Amino acid sequence: LFQQFGVLSALATALTSVLSALLLLALTRQLWSLRWSLTRDKESSLPLPKGSMGWPLVGETFHWLFQGSNFHISRRQRHGNVFKTHLLGKPVIRVTGAENVRKILLGEHSLVCTQWPQSTRIILGPNTLINSIGDLHKRKRKILAKVFSRGALESYLPRLQDVIKSEIAKWCSEPGAIDVYSAAKALTFRIAVRVLLGLQLEEERVVYLARIFEQLMNNLFSLPIDAPLSGLRKGIKAREILHANMKKIIEEKMERQQVEQEYQDFFDYMLSSAKEHGQQLSIQELKETAVELIFAAHSTTASASTSLVLQLLRHPAVVERARAELEAEDIICETQSSPSTNEGDAAITETTCLLSGVCHHCSDEDGFPRSWFHVPYLSLDKLSQLHYMDCVVKEVLRYLPPVSGGYRTALQTFELDGYQIPKGWSVMYSIRDTHETAAVFQSPELFDPDRFGLDRDESRASRFSYVPFGGGVRRCIGKELAQIILKTLAVELIGTCKWTLATENFPKMQTVPIVHPVNGLHVRFSCRHPL
């Protein structure tokens, strides 16, 4: 009996301890929620947005990490287009919807200001566009405007097309499948280094610098602790290596710069633009801006390029219609037989190519197999005539925007959807959710390029329903260049290549921090041959 009593007593004690712990957890959670409720602006009669602040210190960070995009979808369905949460140590208000996004994007420098993690600001440097605010930001955008002007873009295009042709030839030369996302990152890095920065480097050096840049990217969002082996220290080291490789060419350009000159690359346009605006840029400013340019163009364009290939794989009817447009515009030319072969040899070679799937009949100057079809050098005018191709690129950016949203900090308390956004809180506007829920898009769950056709153009009805490049004074300054890269890539792929998915199923897409296939997108490419 005494033994039974002891067991019951132990159970009661254990139960009391568990209940006490649960009550304590519930109390701390309530106190945590109360702590943030008290931060509401007392001068505003509006309530804070609905939502949960999660658990003390960690908030809802673990839910966010494990659930991915489903985290935001479930909370938007529960709380509406404006809800509060607590992520990565900060209170955040997540915002969806064209009108709400419009207010944030147009409120830059007055209602909100841009917000980047401290590690990002340190690694990229103080002279970059993303780290500047107010008048300094406006001055920097004016200087950079010439870098992305129509004249500059026209001058970049031939070299841009050369890089794309060369990379696609490598894809087609591979006997097995390639990971499109990795290949797209290599492509966009080469475009940034060779076309925009004008760095003429050996292939070995390009591969080395691409690896160094990956090291910078991998540590860009790290704890701001400058210690041996820390992410911040690794990121700073990678930045210094990149700077050292750019210093020589910058010095040479600054020495030979004249009043009249033929502009060739980013540095030429940048130096000329600064001079026109009565400013002189230091070598340090140019180095930091160059790294920022690679950062801005690299991952997002690689993401969009991968999404483009994914959608072309999923929708062969879209490919056929785009190819018909290229043929109608005389953009696809059939490559002539090699001068060194007679008709009989050419026929044998063609048969061999068709059987092997690799075109050895025509090779480029680097020895890579080349398609039987050829795309001549394009111009901006010629690209602008490809209306359906333009719709395809726009729909890729609507359906899978590379960046899911942007962060801002509230400079003052303001209203959204009947709620107050308190001064000092983080505000995250969602690009992806806005695209998915905008009423102007018919069947937004479908990939439908025709929604951007001239006779339909659903995005016209609401300017901020389609914001893959953001908007307002911080709209992506390289927007036109990104679209030109995607359009040129699409033209070359559709005009000269064939491709098949190398896996049984299409990959799932991860949306944080940038859209990309979870385990890669594995595709077999080959040269396109006459039917």
Side-chain angles (χ1 to χ4, degrees):
L1 186 63
F2 284 113
Q3 188 177 5
Q4 291 178 341
F5 179 77
V7 171
L8 290 173
S9 178
L11 286 173
T13 302
L15 183 60
T16 302
S17 298
V18 169
L19 288 173
S20 299
L22 290 174
L23 286 171
L24 183 60
L25 282 174
L27 179 61
T28 55
R29 180 161 178 150
Q30 288 299 317
L31 290 173
W32 175 252
S33 181
L34 177 62
R35 177 252 187 276
W36 292 110
S37 296
L38 293 174
T39 63
R40 67 178 298 277
D41 191 336
K42 307 300 187 298
E43 295 182 5
S44 172
S45 60
L46 298 173
L48 285 171
K50 297 176 182 177
S52 170
M53 303 306 282
W55 296 96
L57 301 179
V58 297
E60 293 192 298
T61 301
F62 291 118
H63 292 87
W64 173 61
L65 291 174
F66 290 131
Q67 295 177 18
S69 59
N70 289 330
F71 172 84
H72 298 298
I73 293 171
S74 63
R75 278 146 184 81
R76 188 184 72 239
Q77 291 173 344
R78 193 182 310 162
H79 305 301
N81 281 345
V82 179
F83 65 85
K84 68 176 185 289
T85 182
H86 193 280
L87 302 173
L88 299 172
K90 283 195 170 185
V92 179
I93 292 176
R94 171 103 171 183
V95 177
T96 298
E99 282 306 303
N100 294 327
V101 170
R102 180 193 66 80
K103 193 165 186 177
I104 290 170
L105 293 178
L106 298 184
E108 186 72 35
H109 304 322
S110 56
L111 294 180
V112 297
C113 67
T114 191
Q115 171 188 292
W116 288 88
Q118 189 178 350
S119 59
T120 308
R121 298 197 300 269
I122 293 171
I123 291 171
L124 292 181
N127 298 300
T128 51
L129 186 68
I130 66 170
N131 282 336
S132 60
I133 58 174
D135 291 337
L136 177 61
H137 177 261
K138 293 175 185 176
R139 288 199 301 272
K140 285 187 175 295
R141 278 191 76 98
K142 280 184 181 179
I143 293 174
L144 281 169
K146 191 166 186 176
V147 175
F148 299 104
S149 65
R150 184 175 178 84
L153 295 174
E154 193 79 68
S155 71
Y156 301 152
L157 190 51
R159 285 169 290 160
L160 166 65
Q161 198 172 348
D162 280 339
V163 172
I164 290 176
K165 283 178 183 288
S166 178
E167 290 300 299
I168 289 178
K170 291 178 187 177
W171 300 358
C172 291
S173 71
E174 288 292 330
I178 68 164
D179 176 11
V180 174
Y181 186 50
S182 296
K185 286 193 286 185
L187 168 64
T188 54
F189 183 79
R190 280 172 169 76
I191 289 172
V193 169
R194 290 180 173 167
V195 178
L196 301 181
L197 303 185
L199 298 176
Q200 300 302 316
L201 305 172
E202 295 178 355
E203 179 64 15
E204 236 178 73
R205 197 67 182 165
V206 174
V207 172
Y208 167 72
L209 290 178
R211 191 168 69 250
I212 296 299
F213 184 73
E214 278 292 317
Q215 181 179 318
L216 181 144
M217 289 296 298
N218 291 339
N219 295 286
L220 206 55
F221 303 98
S222 56
L223 291 173
I225 301 171
D226 189 6
L229 303 180
S230 69
L232 181 62
R233 181 70 63 86
K234 291 176 184 176
I236 292 172
K237 183 180 179 182
R239 178 197 67 195
E240 294 307 316
I241 294 173
L242 293 171
H243 281 188
N245 280 271
M246 294 173 195
K247 185 178 179 183
K248 186 178 179 182
I249 191 171
I250 295 172
E251 289 174 340
E252 289 175 354
K253 284 184 177 294
M254 293 183 78
E255 285 175 6
R256 69 170 184 261
Q257 189 190 26
Q258 299 173 353
V259 177
E260 297 292 335
Q261 67 174 25
E262 184 180 349
Y263 302 117
Q264 296 293 331
D265 55 45
F266 160 86
F267 291 118
D268 294 321
Y269 284 101
M270 184 90 167
L271 290 167
S272 171
S273 183
K275 194 171 185 179
E276 288 175 7
H277 288 87
Q279 297 183 44
Q280 189 167 355
L281 299 173
S282 67
I283 292 178
Q284 184 64 26
E285 285 178 297
L286 287 167
K287 288 190 296 186
E288 290 183 8
T289 305
V291 171
E292 180 184 29
L293 180 68
I294 302 174
F295 160 68
H298 179 259
S299 297
T300 52
T301 312
S303 168
S305 299
T306 305
S307 296
L308 170 68
V309 174
L310 175 64
Q311 296 307 324
L312 294 181
L313 278 162
R314 283 183 176 274
H315 304 281
V318 170
V319 175
E320 289 308 311
R321 186 168 165 189
R323 186 173 289 146
E325 181 180 57
L326 295 181
E327 291 171 351
E329 293 291 337
D330 294 324
I331 287 179
I332 303 177
C333 308
E334 191 167 337
T335 304
Q336 299 299 312
S337 298
S338 171
S340 63
T341 59
N342 58 40
E343 290 183 9
D345 292 336
I348 294 170
T349 308
E350 180 177 349
T351 302
T352 305
C353 291
L354 290 169
L355 289 172
S356 67
V358 178
C359 182
H360 299 287
H361 178 52
C362 301
S363 299
D364 63 16
E365 61 273 16
D366 295 319
F368 292 114
R370 190 175 62 195
S371 173
W372 282 75
F373 293 92
H374 169 68
V375 174
Y377 280 114
L378 302 166
S379 66
L380 294 185
D381 284 339
K382 197 66 176 176
L383 282 175
S384 68
Q385 293 170 16
L386 302 176
H387 299 300
Y388 185 70
M389 193 72 80
D390 187 57
C391 292
V392 171
V393 169
K394 285 181 177 177
E395 178 67 346
V396 167
L397 295 172
R398 183 202 70 84
Y399 197 82
L400 287 170
V403 180
S404 60
Y407 282 90
R408 299 289 188 268
T409 297
L411 294 174
Q412 59 175 289
T413 300
F414 62 97
E415 178 268 338
L416 278 181
D417 263 10
Y419 299 106
Q420 65 162 274
I421 312 299
K423 178 180 178 180
W425 278 48
S426 294
V427 183
M428 193 276 187
Y429 69 91
S430 175
I431 294 172
R432 184 184 65 252
D433 291 0
T434 297
H435 287 182
E436 290 177 354
T437 60
V440 296
F441 295 127
Q442 302 172 26
S443 304
E445 73 282 358
L446 299 180
F447 182 82
D448 179 13
D450 282 325
R451 72 174 75 254
F452 291 102
L454 296 176
D455 58 338
R456 185 171 156 191
D457 197 0
E458 295 172 356
S459 64
R460 274 184 308 198
S462 176
R463 177 183 166 193
F464 288 91
S465 290
Y466 180 70
V467 283
F469 297 100
V473 298
R474 286 200 178 268
R475 186 184 70 168
C476 177
I477 198 168
K479 170 187 173 183
E480 284 76 18
L481 175 62
Q483 290 175 310
I484 288 169
I485 292 172
L486 292 172
K487 209 168 180 179
T488 305
L489 176 61
V491 169
E492 290 287 347
L493 283 173
I494 292 171
T496 67
C497 294
K498 297 186 298 181
W499 51 83
T500 55
L501 185 67
T503 53
E504 188 175 341
N505 299 307
F506 286 104
K508 292 182 179 179
M509 300 298 283
Q510 183 171 320
T511 57
V512 178
I514 197 166
V515 172
H516 65 278
V518 173
N519 295 310
L521 174 62
H522 300 280
V523 178
R524 292 188 184 90
F525 289 91
S526 60
C527 299
R528 184 171 161 244
H529 300 281
L531 297 175

